[in-house]
Every structure is written in structure tokens, then in C-alpha cells.
Amino acid sequence: MRYDEPGREPSPEPSSGIPASVLENVFDDPAHGEPGRDRFGVHVVWELLLLAGLGLLTYLLWAEDPAALRGDGLRSLLLDVVVLGLLALAAGLTLRTAAVNLAVGPVAVAAALHVAEQGDRGVSAAAGPALLVAALGGLALALVVVVLHVPGWAASLAAAAGVIVYIQRRSAAVLPQGDYDPERAALYLFVGFAAVAVLGGLFGSVRAVRRVVGRFRPVVDPARRRGAVAAVVTTGALVGSTVLAALAGMLVASRDIAPVAPNPGLDWTVLAVGLALLAGTSAFGRRGGVFGTLLAVCLVTVLLAYARARGWTVSRWAVGAAAIGVGLLVTRLVETYGRPATGAAEPVFSGDGRFGVGWTAPSADPVGDWPPAVPRRSPESPVDPWRDPGWESGPRRWDGGDR
């Protein structure tokens, strides 16, 4: 029963008739979600498989080249993990928001060229302008995506083309000019990357955080805007991914192991997106695991190190394509087995907006016509069927009856 209070407006309810306060607790997406909460069992199983694969490849690398897992070889391997990890975080962050940034590879190469040229001026003088330009470029990309409400992959592909024009202005490789060697702090950089990846996955597993991060993911017509919260979150993700890609390029330029070639960098984009998908992040956005990014990056890094130890020539294009292929299969598994269970806690709605979760009222048995129709007299029996023949002539129990 409802009571109308003067001066109090009823809370707005969606077209389904469910109160908004209840939608917040029942649905992952209050506007158009499925009843129930996402399941994480599929992420646990997949991350255990990644861990098993990483253990096997680490053993094979140890058997082939033990020096790769100790001393300078280990520090170089850890720094490779950090570089690939930053790119995977950049791609995975925008994948979670359903607005993937395909410009991460070219941005990393452009930042590496800039730092390699300006490294003799000091780390801060070389890195500061690069990070500022990356942040402003990410903001411009985000404004195009959220204001025009267009797919992130299309807008970022155009941005990647613009960055490639900047890269192609250089005709020769650039030798790093700085004296900073990040391999001396490789262990600390690896711990920092691992902490960011795992903590980000943990926060992403919280229902409220996951709902906000994946708000840009379309649920009905993709042309429908998803609101101001989705726009702000997507903007932050695109800016953050561009900055992370620039940091990865700076580390590449600071290692002083080879000149920085003016390549377009799209192979780095393919590898980064493949790592994010391989980690268990859904290509549709919102859903993802906890340890997947760390495990996937370590797995691919050890695989590349094992290939070098065996003398194999492996292209980043090939590894990235294989990672995307496997990652798309993982996306199908995540979307199939990570969605709310069918028939679990599904709300039952009534016409007046009331509902129940997990139960339905039993339907009443069918009843006959009401009021009952008066029986018709048959020609053979002219007696009134409503009249009991013995009503007046029969014995009355209340006055003795047998007297």
C-alpha cells in the first residue's frame, strides 16, 4: 500500500517499473542489465591455466639458458616485463571501458624517439614534455570519443595515423643520448607494475567499480549515450592509457641497448591488445580478471626470451596475432560463463511496479462463473429447483421435529 506525502515527489523509475534503489542492488547495469551479478569462476580457471603455462615456459628457459634467469639476464627480463606490462595496462584499461585505444603503439614509439633525442638534457627535461603532450593528446582523443559518441577504436586509429606522421618525419634511427639506465631499478619497476596490475584487477572485481568502469559499454542501441559518468570514466581511461604508453616508450629509449628505429609502432599495438585479451579482459568491455594481466605479460615475455635462447626469429606481429586469436576465444568464454547465471535470482515483475526476487506467488485455481447462473427448469420437472420439497413439510429439529 502506498501513502502519498505532501511535498514529496516519487522517485523516478525505469520503464520496467522496478524502483531504482532495487535496480542498484540486483543488476550490474541498473539501466539495462541482466538480473544477477557477474561470475568470476571462469577468470579463476583461466588464470590458473596461465600460471601453469608460465611455470612450464620458465622451466624450459631455465633448461635452455640458465643465465637468463639470474644477474643481468634477470634484470633485463624484468624490464621487458615492465615495458610490455605498461602497454598491456594501457590497452586493457581502455578495453575495460569499451573504448579501446589503438594508438598506444605509435605513442610509445614517438615518446621513445623524443626521449632518445633529448635524453642528454636530463630525465625530467626529456620526459616532462613527452608526458604532457601524451596527456593532452589523450584528452583530445577522449573528447572526440565521448562528445561525438563514436567507437574508441575508430577515433584512436585516426589518432595513431597522426602520430605515425610525426614518426615518419625521421628517416634514420636515433641513438639514445641519456645516461639513465632503468635496468638498475628493474626489480622495483617490476614490483610497481605488478602492484598496479593486481590492485587494478582487484578494484575491477568490485561490483560497483566494475559497473562504473564499464558504463560506456553499449547494452541496447550503441548510438544511445551512456551518461555523464560514462563520459568522465572513458575520458580518464583514454588519457591514462596514452600516458602509460608514453612511459613504456621512455623505458625503451633509456635502455641504451639499440638505436630507436622510426617504426610506425602498430605491431606494439597488436601485441598490447593481444596481451590484454589474453589476460581475460573482455573485448566487449567491463569484464576482466585479477591476476590475468601480470600472468599474461610474464608468459609472453618468457616465451620471447625462450625463442631468443633457441635462436628462433619471432615477429611481434606473429605473437600479437596469436595472442589476439586466443584472447578472442577467452572473450567468448568470459562472456558466456562470466555473465549472471540463467534463472538465478531473476526478478518477477507485476504491473504496478511491485516485484519479488527468487520466488513467485502460486497461481490460484480456476473458479467457476460468479455469480452462479440460476438453473433452468426442465419441462419434465416443473418443480422449482431452488425449492426443497421437504423444507416446510419435513421435521424441524429446533421445535421437536417428531411430535
Side-chain angles (χ1 to χ4, degrees):
M1 180 179 295
R2 295 183 179 177
Y3 297 91
D4 295 327
E5 298 180 11
R8 181 177 179 180
E9 295 293 334
S11 59
E13 297 181 1
S15 58
S16 61
I18 316 172
S21 60
V22 177
L23 279 171
E24 290 290 330
N25 296 323
V26 177
F27 290 89
D28 268 326
D29 190 335
H32 304 93
E34 291 179 293
R37 298 179 176 88
D38 289 347
R39 295 173 292 174
F40 279 85
V42 62
H43 295 289
V44 174
V45 173
W46 177 245
E47 289 172 4
L48 288 176
L49 291 177
L50 288 176
L51 181 60
L54 175 60
L56 176 61
L57 281 176
T58 303
Y59 171 76
L60 293 176
L61 178 60
W62 174 265
E64 186 69 29
D65 184 15
L69 295 175
R70 58 173 178 252
D72 292 339
L74 178 60
R75 285 190 288 270
S76 178
L77 191 66
L78 291 178
L79 195 57
D80 289 340
V81 171
V82 174
V83 171
L84 282 182
L86 289 174
L87 290 173
L89 285 176
L93 179 60
T94 53
L95 268 177
R96 281 287 188 106
T97 59
V100 61
N101 185 1
L102 298 183
V104 292
V107 167
V109 174
L113 289 170
H114 174 79
V115 171
E117 291 175 342
Q118 306 295 327
D120 55 346
R121 299 173 53 192
V123 176
S124 58
L131 292 177
L132 179 60
V133 171
L136 293 177
L139 180 61
L141 172 62
L143 290 178
V144 172
V145 171
V146 301
V147 173
L148 299 181
H149 198 72
V150 294
W153 65 266
S156 61
L157 191 60
V163 178
I164 291 174
V165 172
Y166 167 80
I167 294 173
Q168 289 180 338
R169 294 177 58 188
R170 292 161 174 79
S171 57
V174 179
L175 185 67
Q177 303 296 316
D179 55 358
Y180 172 71
D181 184 11
E183 288 191 2
R184 292 177 294 183
L187 179 60
Y188 301 105
L189 292 174
F190 172 78
V191 172
F193 154 69
V196 171
V198 174
L199 290 177
L202 286 174
F203 278 113
S205 65
V206 178
R207 179 172 56 90
V209 175
R210 184 180 65 253
R211 178 194 302 165
V212 172
V213 170
R215 187 107 178 136
F216 202 70
R217 166 174 166 156
V219 291
V220 282
D221 186 350
R224 292 185 61 178
R225 296 183 181 274
R226 300 288 285 148
V229 175
V232 171
V233 171
T234 304
T235 299
L238 288 170
V239 172
S241 69
T242 310
V243 172
L244 288 173
L247 287 173
M250 293 175 191
L251 289 178
V252 171
S254 301
R255 299 184 68 174
D256 197 19
I257 56 177
V260 180
N263 296 321
L266 290 177
D267 53 344
W268 287 109
T269 293
V270 171
L271 185 56
V273 174
L275 286 171
L277 292 174
L278 189 65
T281 305
S282 173
F284 297 103
R286 194 179 81 185
R287 296 189 171 106
V290 177
F291 299 95
T293 301
L294 176 62
L295 294 173
V297 170
C298 292
L299 176 69
V300 172
T301 303
V302 173
L303 174 63
L304 294 175
Y306 178 70
R308 288 194 299 267
R310 295 296 302 268
W312 300 340
T313 301
V314 180
S315 171
R316 282 193 293 267
W317 287 105
V319 177
I324 289 178
V326 177
L328 291 177
L329 295 177
V330 176
T331 289
R332 184 66 270 155
L333 293 175
V334 167
E335 291 295 327
T336 301
Y337 298 104
R339 63 185 299 181
T342 304
E346 294 192 4
V348 178
F349 313 109
S350 61
D352 60 352
R354 293 173 294 179
F355 67 97
V357 177
W359 59 272
T360 56
S363 59
D365 295 332
V367 297
D369 295 335
W370 184 262
V374 178
R376 297 180 180 179
R377 297 184 183 183
S378 65
E380 294 81 6
S381 177
V383 182
D384 188 355
W386 288 99
R387 185 181 182 89
D388 184 2
W391 174 255
E392 295 181 354
S393 59
R396 297 183 178 88
R397 188 177 301 274
W398 55 270
D399 62 349
D402 53 352
R403 286 191 300 175

